[in-house]
Amino acid sequence: MLTIIKRIWNFANTQHSKIKISVGVNFFRAIFSLLDYFAIYLAITALINNNISLVLMIKCVLLIIVGVAGRIVMDGISSDKLMKVGYGVAKEKRLHVANKLRYVPMGYLETFNLGEISATLTTTIGEIETLAPMVLVQIISGIIGTLLMAIYVTALNWKIGIIAIVTIILYFFVTNCQQKSLKNITVLRQRAQEEMIFQVLEYLQGIQVIKGFGLFGEKHKAIRETISNSCKKNTALNIKSIPWLYGQRLILTLFSVAICKAALVQYLDGSLGLSLCLFTLIMSFVIFSSLDFAGSSINFLNLIDVAITHVNKIDALPVIKNGKITNKPCRYDIIYDNVSFSYGKKEVLKNLNATLKEKEITAIIGQSGSGKTTLTHLLARFWDPSKGTIKLNGIDIKNYNYDILLEQISCVFQDVYLFNDTIENNIGFGRFGATHEEIIEAAKKAKCHDFIMMLPNGYDTLIGEGGSSLSGGEKQRISIARAILKDAPIIILDEATASVDPENELEIMQAIYELYKNKTCIIVAHRLNTIRSAGQILVLENGKIIQKGKHDELIKQDGVYRRFIEHREQAEKWKI
């Protein structure tokens, strides 16, 4: 139990001052609670001694009023601090994890499923947000309150005090056993919850395919099973907790009875006065109330422990090593020097060497799986090469500050992702602080201003998650506008027109020409016009460059490039 409390304390490292204040406030709350019992003791003593007076009555009433008022004030301060601790920790951890993911290599991210990451950022941190501060303060405050009560009783009667201390020790022994017993089922409950979130997300993301192929029964079955499994694990956790809860209550009840018996025995043998005996009988019903209150929070410790473990699991992911160079490059020529890269055991690039000249278009062609996209991803440091170096302006890109490096690169991919926001904000994502006029100018260059103005709210139109309300060509042009607005000196186009219909292709190609004017441009291409106009063409096969040069040079050689061009020309001539 102490280990988990320490983990919660370390997890909330930026909120220690507020937690200390809350614990301190609850200490004073416990003292204010003792005033009620002191008033009761004075009243009982006066009644037995037939010494009731107006002064005593006023004193007792004032003690109770001060006690109640003090508890109200202390509860208000404690609640305020707890709320700030919970929301503060959750905010910091969500932002920290989100920022951490920016610097995690893509290969490591692929080892996590979407459900696990989503559950961590929402449900898991949500549990920590609501439970951790409350549990930490209630347990510490409950222990403090019970110890103060035990000390108070011990001061009045040491024999009764020993019984109270033994009760506290036994209670925490049982609680520690409970923690160990429920640990495994708590982990299984967390896994079931993550799997349920993953299945729901997969179902929603794939609803179009599910409808198209009539897979409702099969997919419904998967979701039902994961939801049912989550329900079973939560139920199992609660059922397994019940005997321990009854055990804790039984201990407190039996020892409360033991205190009553001890007080009566001492009264009968004359070692305890009547007033103190009656007061002890009353105290036996409330002496462990703070401990019982803390016990209800202790049951959440395993849940919090598992939640913190999952957050720390993501936080422990390795990050891309950040370079120290914060100055922008003077030139934008790129060199791949003996670069190799593997996805696990599968080698994708093998001792690759290439030079990409500044302000020149380099087209990369090759069969699917030849390493074209990987080549571009390594430049943006989505991964780092397993061997060799990539140089920008003659300097290893690992030596550049990662954010500075990314500022020099704009990427337009085949699969465009747009955020569930306005068109203006989606384009403005290319450069923070861009004005409305700059966004419109970028949209015009990308040939998307006209269709944007035809939408109901123009640039303020919400486009839905992933840009679901737009066509493929419209989404592609918005992504190009975003890249134009960024105005980075290096452009990566990864088959940006591969899935575009012919009606949109001309406008997209015109937008692309605007994008890569006077830029160092890398194009993963299959369109003949784009390939022919490139200053350099790299032909990849099985992770190696087997041909390089200009179109006029390569077309004369009997090789992969000429066969590729011949096949493309035949395909473009084909008609129904």
Side-chain angles (χ1 to χ4, degrees):
M1 184 181 76
L2 292 176
T3 302
I4 300 176
I5 291 175
K6 185 178 179 181
R7 290 192 75 192
I8 297 173
W9 175 258
N10 293 335
F11 191 80
N13 57 348
T14 62
Q15 305 291 328
H16 284 175
S17 60
K18 294 185 181 70
I19 295 174
K20 289 177 182 177
I21 291 172
S22 188
V23 171
V25 164
N26 276 274
F27 172 80
F28 287 107
R29 185 192 186 283
I31 292 177
F32 281 118
S33 296
L34 291 178
L35 295 180
D36 295 353
Y37 304 118
F38 184 58
I40 293 171
Y41 177 69
L42 291 178
I44 291 173
T45 302
L47 284 170
I48 291 173
N49 295 329
N50 198 23
N51 192 24
I52 298 294
S53 67
L54 181 62
V55 173
L56 178 67
M57 292 173 62
I58 293 173
K59 185 185 293 185
C60 290
V61 170
L62 286 176
L63 284 171
I64 293 173
I65 290 173
V66 171
V68 172
R71 290 197 299 275
I72 291 172
V73 173
M74 296 300 108
D75 285 341
I77 297 173
S78 179
S79 297
D80 176 67
K81 296 301 178 184
L82 279 179
M83 181 179 66
K84 290 178 179 177
V85 168
Y87 292 139
V89 168
K91 181 195 77 172
E92 290 167 3
K93 291 301 176 182
R94 286 188 174 111
L95 290 174
H96 174 73
V97 170
N99 189 60
K100 175 73 178 271
L101 293 176
R102 292 176 55 218
Y103 299 98
V104 174
M106 296 295 291
Y108 285 97
L109 282 179
E110 288 175 355
T111 63
F112 283 78
N113 66 49
L114 183 61
E116 185 173 359
I117 295 175
S118 300
T120 299
L121 287 171
T122 54
T123 309
T124 303
I125 293 182
E127 288 178 347
I128 297 172
E129 178 181 37
T130 55
L131 295 177
M134 176 194 71
V135 168
L136 184 64
V137 172
Q138 286 186 358
I139 289 175
I140 295 175
S141 302
I143 293 172
I144 290 172
T146 304
L147 288 175
L148 280 176
M149 196 77 76
I151 292 169
Y152 181 51
V153 171
T154 303
L156 297 175
N157 187 321
W158 66 269
K159 293 180 180 179
I160 301 297
I162 289 175
I163 296 174
I165 292 170
V166 170
T167 306
I168 294 170
I169 294 171
L170 184 59
Y171 182 88
F172 281 109
F173 173 77
V174 172
T175 300
N176 191 53
C177 293
Q178 176 196 21
Q179 298 297 311
K180 295 178 180 178
S181 172
L182 299 179
K183 187 172 183 178
N184 290 335
I185 186 65
T186 306
V187 173
L188 293 175
R189 175 253 183 199
Q190 183 68 25
R191 289 177 184 169
Q193 186 165 320
E194 289 173 358
E195 181 61 24
M196 178 184 68
I197 293 173
F198 173 72
Q199 287 291 342
V200 171
L201 286 172
E202 184 181 50
Y203 181 84
L204 293 174
Q205 290 171 341
I207 191 67
Q208 188 173 6
V209 176
I210 292 169
K211 285 185 176 183
F213 288 89
L215 298 175
F216 290 105
E218 182 180 340
K219 282 298 176 183
H220 273 150
K221 181 181 177 183
I223 288 180
R224 281 198 302 270
E225 287 178 351
T226 53
I227 292 175
S228 176
N229 185 46
S230 179
C231 177
K232 287 177 182 177
K233 291 297 185 287
N234 277 286
T235 303
L237 176 60
N238 288 327
I239 290 174
K240 201 169 181 179
S241 301
I242 290 173
W244 294 103
L245 292 174
Y246 282 126
Q248 291 170 330
R249 291 285 174 85
L250 183 62
I251 289 170
L252 298 182
T253 302
L254 289 177
F255 277 88
S256 293
V257 172
I259 288 173
C260 290
K261 181 181 177 182
L264 291 172
V265 169
Q266 290 182 63
Y267 171 70
L268 292 175
D269 65 17
S271 60
L272 189 68
L274 179 59
S275 60
L276 195 54
C277 175
L278 292 174
F279 181 69
T280 303
L281 291 176
I282 294 172
M283 289 294 292
S284 68
F285 292 100
V286 295
I287 188 171
F288 302 123
S289 59
S290 294
L291 191 59
D292 190 28
F293 181 63
S296 62
S297 298
I298 289 172
N299 296 319
F300 294 113
L301 279 179
N302 275 332
L303 289 175
I304 298 169
D305 186 40
V306 172
I308 290 175
T309 298
H310 277 73
V311 176
N312 289 342
K313 182 180 177 182
I314 293 180
D315 197 31
L317 284 172
V319 295
I320 291 172
K321 186 179 178 181
N322 212 353
K324 296 181 179 180
I325 298 176
T326 56
N327 296 324
K328 294 181 179 180
C330 300
R331 290 181 54 82
Y332 292 94
D333 48 308
I334 301 161
I335 299 173
Y336 287 82
D337 185 8
N338 202 34
V339 170
S340 297
F341 179 77
S342 300
Y343 292 111
K345 295 181 180 180
K346 182 183 177 183
E347 193 173 27
V348 180
L349 298 178
K350 306 169 186 176
N351 302 318
L352 187 143
N353 291 281
T355 299
L356 286 56
K357 294 181 181 179
E358 183 183 28
K359 296 183 180 180
E360 183 178 81
I361 299 171
T362 298
I364 305 172
I365 69 168
Q367 294 182 343
S368 178
S370 61
K372 305 185 300 296
T373 297
T374 302
L375 188 69
T376 63
H377 284 180
L378 292 180
L379 176 60
R381 293 197 72 191
F382 292 172
W383 295 272
D384 280 331
S386 51
K387 189 175 73 172
T389 58
I390 302 173
K391 298 177 181 178
L392 175 61
N393 188 34
I395 300 172
D396 189 341
I397 59 173
K398 293 180 183 178
N399 293 331
Y400 287 100
N401 176 276
Y402 188 56
D403 289 329
I404 293 296
L405 176 66
L406 291 183
E407 284 178 8
Q408 314 311 309
I409 302 171
S410 285
C411 300
V412 179
F413 299 115
Q414 178 180 350
D415 297 322
V416 177
Y417 187 84
L418 300 179
F419 297 95
N420 185 20
D421 205 333
T422 64
I423 288 179
E424 178 165 349
N425 287 340
N426 268 280
I427 297 174
F429 188 75
R431 190 175 80 236
F432 180 75
T435 65
H436 179 67
E437 290 72 23
E438 290 172 330
I439 290 171
I440 291 176
E441 183 62 26
K444 288 179 178 178
K445 290 180 179 179
K447 308 299 180 185
C448 57
H449 175 73
D450 291 340
F451 86 76
I452 291 173
M453 295 308 295
M454 293 174 64
L455 296 172
N457 297 308
Y459 283 83
D460 292 326
T461 301
L462 290 170
I463 57 178
E465 185 176 356
S468 57
S469 62
L470 302 177
S471 70
E474 290 169 341
K475 288 193 290 185
Q476 194 65 269
R477 279 180 274 168
I478 287 177
S479 72
I480 293 171
R482 179 191 289 168
I484 290 173
L485 182 65
K486 185 176 181 181
D487 195 27
I490 299 173
I491 306 297
I492 296 175
L493 297 171
D494 189 354
E495 304 206 60
T497 61
S499 59
V500 175
D501 54 84
E503 288 77 10
N504 281 302
E505 183 180 357
L506 177 60
E507 290 187 323
I508 289 177
M509 289 308 301
Q510 290 173 346
I512 288 174
Y513 293 146
E514 286 287 339
L515 174 61
Y516 62 58
K517 279 181 181 178
N518 299 316
K519 311 285 186 185
T520 302
C521 188
I522 308 167
I523 302 178
V524 177
H526 67 283
R527 302 290 187 185
L528 294 182
N529 290 338
T530 304
I531 297 169
R532 288 185 179 123
S533 63
Q536 177 181 222
I537 300 167
L538 303 179
V539 183
L540 266 64
E541 186 174 77
N542 297 324
K544 294 182 178 180
I545 296 176
I546 58 172
Q547 289 180 286
K548 66 171 67 174
K550 294 186 177 182
H551 171 77
D552 293 340
E553 300 167 354
L554 298 178
I555 199 66
K556 296 175 183 177
Q557 302 173 11
D558 183 19
V560 171
Y561 181 75
R562 189 164 75 181
R563 290 193 295 273
F564 172 82
I565 293 297
E566 289 172 352
H567 291 156
R568 294 304 307 169
E569 287 176 342
Q570 290 175 7
E572 291 190 2
K573 292 176 183 177
W574 188 84
K575 295 180 180 179
I576 296 178

